[in-house]
Structure formats: C-alpha cells, structure tokens
Amino acid sequence: MTQAELRLCSLLLQEHFGEIVEKVGNSLLRTGPRPLRLLVGDTGLLPDQVKKALCVLIQHNLVRYEVQPRGSVEYEARSERILRILRYPRYIYTAKTLYGDPGELLVEELLLHGHLPMSCAVARVADRLTETMEDGKTMDYTEVSNTFVRLADTHFIQRCPVVPESSQSTKAPPPPAPALAIAEKDMYIVPQLSLVGKGKRRHSCNEEEEGEHKAKRQKQEGGRSETPPDDGIYWQVNLERFHQHFRDQALVSAVASRMDQTSSEVVRTMLRMSEVTTASGASHTQPLSSNEIFRSLPAGYNIGKQVLDQYLALLADDPLEFVGKSGDSGGGTYTVKVTWGPGAFWAPPSPFPHPSLILLLLHRFGSRCARIFRLLLRKKHLEQKQVEDFAMIPAKEAKDMLYRMLSENLVSLQEIPKTPDHAPSRTFYLYTVNVMAAARMLLHRCYKSVANLMERRQHEMQENKRLLDKSQRVEAILASMQATGAEAAQLHEVEEMITGPERQQLETLKRNVNKIDASENQVDETIFVLESFIESTTKRP
C-alpha cells in the first residue's frame, strides 16, 4: 500500500467516522492483520473504545476478521473498500437517476448505516420523503418497498451474509467469532413483507417527550415491542454492481463517439439484457442472439432486422472489438467485451492515450512531450534518432524530453545488444511506453490529488469556523421564529446580525467548497477508469 493511499484512507476515515475510528483504522492499515490486544497497545486507546471502533468498521464492511488456528481473532482493514467512500456521492446520484428519489434515499441510508433490514430502511426513507412533501401529503410504504424490490432485482443491493443455521443448531461451544456465509442464489431474494403504513413527520418537543416516556414504560413492563417481520435479514449496497453500471456507461459513450448513436443504443440494449446474468469480473457478457437483441430494442428505434445485422457486423469488425461474434445460431450470437485492455483504455474513441494522461503531459512537460508520447504509443519501439525524425523535434530537445519522461516512469528504455558484451556502440536503445507503469503512476497522482483537495477543504472550513457557527446560530433563530409566526420586521432584524462582508465571505467559502467537491468527483472518475484498466489487465491470462 502506497503512502498516498494510506494518507487518503486516513482522511476518509477521519472525515466520516471521527478520530478514534481513524486511529484504529490507520493502525490496521499500517501494520496489517492484528488481534485486539496488539491493537489496543498500538493505538493507546481504551479497550472499549477500540471495540466500538471495530464494530463501526465491521458494520460498514471496512474491516474483516478471521479466526486463527490457535483460536485468536485477527482484524484486517480493507483499504480498497475504504477508498470506495470517495465514490459514495456517485452511487447515490446513479440510484436517483435510475430509480428516482426513493432509490436515492434507500441507497443513501444503506451507505450511511452500513447495512439495514428492509422494514427499517423503508420506514426511514418514507419518513424523509414525507418531510419534503406539502402539508397533508405523505409517502406510502408500498411505493418505497417497490423501489427496494427493483433495486434488489437489478442487484444494486444484496443481502448480508449470516450465521448458517447448521452452526446455530449444533451443541458444540461457539467459536470466538461467527463465520458468516450466504448462498449466491439467496443474495437477491426479497422477503415477502406486508409493509403497510405512511411516512411520519417530525413531532413537536412535547410529542417527542411523550414518545420517550412511552418507550420507557414499555421497557419497564418487559419490552413488549414487536419484533420486525424481517428480523435478522440485513441488506447492503452492492458496490460491484454500481461499478458494472459505470463501466457499461463508459462503453456506450465510447461506441457513440467512435460510430454513431444507433450503434451505442445497440450496445446499450445488449448490456441491459445481460446486466444481471454477467458475472462480476467476466471478460464478456453472455452470448445474445440477433433475434433477441432485435426484440429488446427500444420502441423509439425503428430499425429493421437487416439494418441491425449490419450494425452488429460493423461493431464486430471494429479494431477495438467492443462486440464479438461467438456463433451463428439465431441469426448470429454476439457478446460485448467488458474488460478494458490497453487498446480500449488508451484509445476510446480515438487511437490516442487517455485524455487525463495527455493533460498531465501538457501541463507538466508541454505539447511536444505529448507528441512524443503519442508517437511511442503508435510505433511501440523507437530509437532516439527515430523519435527526433518522426516527431520533427531537434535532437537536444527530444533527448531532454525523453529523459524527463523516463524519470517519471512514463516511458521505459529497453536495451537490445548485438553482442554478448553489451558494448554501448553495439547496442540498440529503444524507447517504449509501459502502459501499466504509466497507469499506476497516474493513479498514485490521483490519490495524492484527492488527499490534497480534502485537506484544503478542511483548512477552508477551519479558517471560517467562527463565521460558520454564527451563520448556523442565526439560521436556527430564524427557523424557530418562523415556526412561532414572527413578523417580517423581526426576521429582517435577525438576518442583519450577519453583516454584508460576512455574507460575502460565506458565499466565497460556499463557492470554493463546491469547486473542491466537484474536483474530487472528477478525479474519482479518472481513478475508476485507471483501477478498472489495471484490474482487467492483471486478471488477463
């Protein structure tokens, strides 16, 4: 794990869970799997604090545990899962785009709590949606539960592993930690629940006190609260399914840029037909016949079967191989290639490198370095003299640029000796692009950039902490006065507690924070492309 990743993970844990959880998580990230005893000694925290921090991390799938042969339990941080916290806004926005406000809030609640039962998640979301509605209107549980079922059917959410029933029924002494498991066929089965009810608005202070007294009375009388119908069945967000959706959208965009909109719609239809049947990490989708694709095309695309066959043939013959032909039955069977090899990574939709790397070269080294880099990608291996001739750059400048890129691991130098003694005069020195090394270098820079952005946002908030506290106090006073029906003159007098320069400073702060947030999301999009490329390349046999 690089220092940039460790720093980013620590910042994410601190921002979302606080200092104690960050200290425990940082200790696990630095030292690897450790038992509770060593973890307490390393962090200097109380055992109860470490236990609670581990509970939070396990609840959010950020730490895994394993029982060792001697009976001790070791805890291990999942760095790749901690880095996914950065992508939470994108998951929530995607759910909103696909399933509306109920889908957005369901995914947000599951990410916020780690995992929840269906009944609890539906009730929370219905209450939140009712709060945003006009007076007299409420959100029915049925509508929210229907969205929950759709999310499960499309595998965007899944059941959490549970303790197997066989281990519960045995009379043997329980293990130090339970072994959780779930069959793949059960991961997306939604329990048959009759959730009847409507969302509730927040009560007044008196009503809240009455509710608390009622809950205390129930506890004193023996806790006769009803057990939820889905007690013990917890749900979590399936992050891999969201990544599959992001990858599919990138492929559709690449096809649209390289060919046309109709070709991209054909690919989109194929991906939609196989989105649930394609296994995570598979290199191709399930084979689909031309007849099946024709029947599944959107109604707005009035293209005939013959035209569809021509589009499929064009896609199959394309050098980037977005679509492959796997058979001739049913008018021809086709698959979509969903792994990103070097060609697909650097090329969509043109034969040039990914725009992020070109921008890096332009900003750090200038347009001539970018020209040399493109040239090496096209020609694979070139000597320095050939680079000078093909790129039409003077020898001194070409040599300087090649050495600068070599020091940054953007290009590599390969020696091919003519004789066994490796004499320089009888050796070819060929420059080439190590695509994997360049991708890893750019990924490292992206992690570093996000960490810098997060620290900058924290600095901006800390510098203006006094003003932010004052603004929150004024907003709270205004809200309470509006609830009691205060006059406009009184409200205006309270608003004037924040002066003009302070209001302008708040607007500047808000604008700067929004820019930082947008920059984080843009960098995360590049991180996703780079991680997908590296993962698919390393998995390739």
Side-chain angles (χ1 to χ4, degrees):
M1 188 177 186
T2 63
Q3 286 297 319
E5 289 177 280
L6 181 61
R7 176 179 166 222
L8 180 55
C9 287
S10 298
L11 287 170
L12 287 168
L13 290 174
Q14 183 179 13
E15 184 172 296
H16 288 81
F17 302 105
E19 291 184 3
I20 293 177
V21 175
E22 184 270 333
K23 188 174 288 187
V24 174
N26 193 30
S27 174
L28 288 173
L29 288 168
R30 285 187 294 102
T31 59
R34 308 197 88 184
L36 178 63
R37 178 176 54 83
L38 293 179
L39 200 54
V40 171
D42 185 50
T43 57
L45 299 171
L46 297 174
D48 283 346
Q49 291 179 315
V50 176
K51 288 178 183 179
K52 290 177 181 178
L54 286 172
C55 286
V56 171
L57 292 168
I58 293 171
Q59 170 87 6
H60 289 266
N61 294 324
L62 306 179
V63 162
R64 66 167 68 93
Y65 59 85
E66 186 177 356
V67 180
Q68 299 301 308
R70 293 187 177 182
S72 62
V73 180
E74 287 193 350
Y75 300 90
E76 181 183 7
R78 302 175 60 189
S79 59
E80 74 287 346
R81 185 61 180 74
I82 296 173
L83 293 172
R84 295 293 84 80
I85 297 175
L86 188 65
R87 207 163 291 156
Y88 279 7
R90 196 175 176 190
Y91 300 143
I92 295 169
Y93 179 74
T94 302
K96 180 182 178 66
T97 305
L98 296 175
Y99 300 102
D101 291 339
E104 173 195 11
L105 294 182
L106 281 169
V107 171
E108 184 179 339
E109 287 289 336
L110 290 173
L111 290 174
L112 186 64
H113 294 88
H115 53 258
L116 284 173
M118 177 182 174
S119 56
C120 182
V122 169
R124 286 174 179 272
V125 170
D127 292 347
R128 288 181 63 181
L129 288 172
T130 300
E131 285 288 334
T132 61
M133 291 181 170
E134 299 176 359
D135 292 338
K137 292 185 178 180
T138 56
M139 173 59 66
D140 195 271
Y141 282 6
T142 308
E143 185 176 346
V144 181
S145 61
N146 289 340
T147 305
F148 192 98
V149 172
R150 289 167 60 199
L151 282 165
D153 289 342
T154 50
H155 296 186
F156 283 105
I157 58 176
Q158 61 186 13
R159 283 193 186 189
C160 298
V162 295
V163 179
E165 294 182 1
S166 58
S167 62
Q168 292 178 349
S169 59
T170 56
K171 296 182 180 179
L180 307 179
I182 187 171
E184 189 173 354
K185 60 183 178 63
D186 298 331
M187 292 178 69
Y188 308 103
I189 297 177
V190 181
Q192 297 295 327
L193 303 177
S194 56
L195 297 176
V196 180
K198 296 182 181 294
K200 300 179 181 64
R201 298 181 186 274
R202 289 181 183 174
H203 303 296
S204 63
C205 296
N206 294 334
E207 290 175 337
E208 285 182 0
E209 289 178 2
E210 289 177 6
E212 288 177 5
H213 293 320
K214 187 177 179 182
K216 286 180 181 178
R217 282 198 303 272
Q218 284 183 351
K219 190 174 182 181
Q220 289 171 357
E221 292 171 3
R224 292 175 304 199
S225 58
E226 295 183 4
T227 304
D230 58 344
D231 185 39
I233 302 176
Y234 290 88
W235 293 81
Q236 62 186 357
V237 177
N238 184 4
L239 303 187
E240 291 302 320
R241 177 65 183 87
F242 277 98
H243 293 169
Q244 180 186 339
H245 177 77
F246 299 153
R247 179 205 65 201
D248 292 350
Q249 295 302 309
L251 286 171
V252 170
S253 300
V255 173
S257 300
R258 187 169 178 83
M259 294 186 177
D260 62 0
Q261 194 64 34
T262 306
S263 299
S264 69
E265 195 59 43
V266 171
V267 174
R268 189 196 304 274
T269 302
M270 295 174 68
L271 291 169
R272 189 174 62 248
M273 292 170 66
S274 57
E275 62 183 358
V276 177
T277 58
T278 302
S280 177
S283 59
H284 294 80
T285 61
Q286 294 294 323
L288 299 168
S289 69
S290 174
N291 295 328
E292 291 175 329
I293 299 169
F294 179 70
R295 287 193 296 268
S296 301
L297 281 172
Y301 276 81
N302 298 319
I303 62 173
K305 179 67 168 59
Q306 187 177 0
V307 178
L308 174 63
D309 291 338
Q310 291 174 355
Y311 271 108
L312 289 170
L314 261 172
L315 288 164
D317 293 338
D318 188 84
L320 291 182
E321 299 177 345
F322 289 116
V323 172
K325 190 171 183 179
S326 59
D328 296 320
S329 60
T333 55
Y334 297 88
T335 61
V336 180
K337 184 179 179 182
V338 292
T339 53
W340 293 353
F345 173 72
W346 299 105
S350 68
F352 297 137
H354 188 269
S356 300
L357 194 57
I358 289 296
L359 287 174
L360 174 69
L361 288 163
L362 287 172
H363 285 299
R364 288 181 63 84
F365 306 113
S367 59
R368 292 192 172 187
C369 273
R371 190 194 309 172
I372 293 174
F373 193 85
R374 289 190 183 109
L375 180 64
L376 290 172
L377 279 172
R378 284 178 177 273
K379 302 293 185 180
K380 306 297 182 187
H381 296 84
L382 288 175
E383 292 185 273
Q384 182 178 321
K385 183 66 171 64
Q386 292 175 310
V387 171
E388 299 164 8
D389 295 339
F390 283 124
M392 294 181 291
I393 295 175
K396 185 178 179 181
E397 287 186 29
K399 181 179 179 180
D400 179 56
M401 292 173 185
L402 284 169
Y403 286 174
R404 286 172 64 192
M405 287 193 288
L406 186 64
S407 65
E408 295 281 347
N409 287 332
L410 288 167
V411 299
S412 58
L413 188 62
Q414 184 176 356
E415 298 181 4
I416 303 179
K418 296 179 184 177
T419 56
D421 59 355
H422 286 261
S425 60
R426 294 185 294 275
T427 301
F428 292 109
Y429 294 94
L430 301 179
Y431 288 94
T432 185
V433 174
N434 187 337
V435 179
M436 183 61 72
R440 292 187 188 279
M441 182 275 298
L442 184 56
L443 182 62
H444 175 80
R445 288 186 177 276
C446 287
Y447 287 143
K448 197 173 179 180
S449 298
V450 174
N452 290 342
L453 287 167
M454 292 181 67
E455 288 187 343
R456 181 64 196 179
R457 183 176 64 239
Q458 291 175 2
H459 173 75
E460 290 281 345
M461 301 294 282
Q462 192 63 34
E463 285 288 307
N464 297 275
K465 190 175 186 302
R466 184 196 62 80
L467 186 58
L468 287 170
D469 292 341
K470 181 180 178 181
S471 175
Q472 289 175 357
R473 287 197 302 271
V474 171
E475 287 176 1
I477 294 170
L478 285 172
S480 62
M481 291 177 68
Q482 287 172 351
T484 56
E487 296 180 359
Q490 293 175 321
L491 296 174
H492 182 68
E493 185 178 349
V494 174
E495 288 175 354
E496 287 183 344
M497 291 172 64
I498 298 180
T499 63
E502 287 177 334
R503 202 174 299 278
Q504 187 176 0
Q505 190 176 349
L506 281 172
E507 287 296 323
T508 303
L509 174 64
K510 184 179 178 182
R511 189 166 54 251
N512 291 340
V513 170
N514 288 340
K515 283 182 180 178
I516 291 172
D517 291 341
S519 300
E520 283 184 20
N521 292 332
Q522 289 174 353
V523 176
D524 180 64
E525 290 180 11
T526 304
I527 289 174
F528 172 71
V529 174
L530 291 164
E531 287 178 341
S532 300
F533 164 71
I534 292 170
E535 183 182 358
S536 62
T537 304
T538 50
K539 281 183 179 179
R540 193 180 306 124

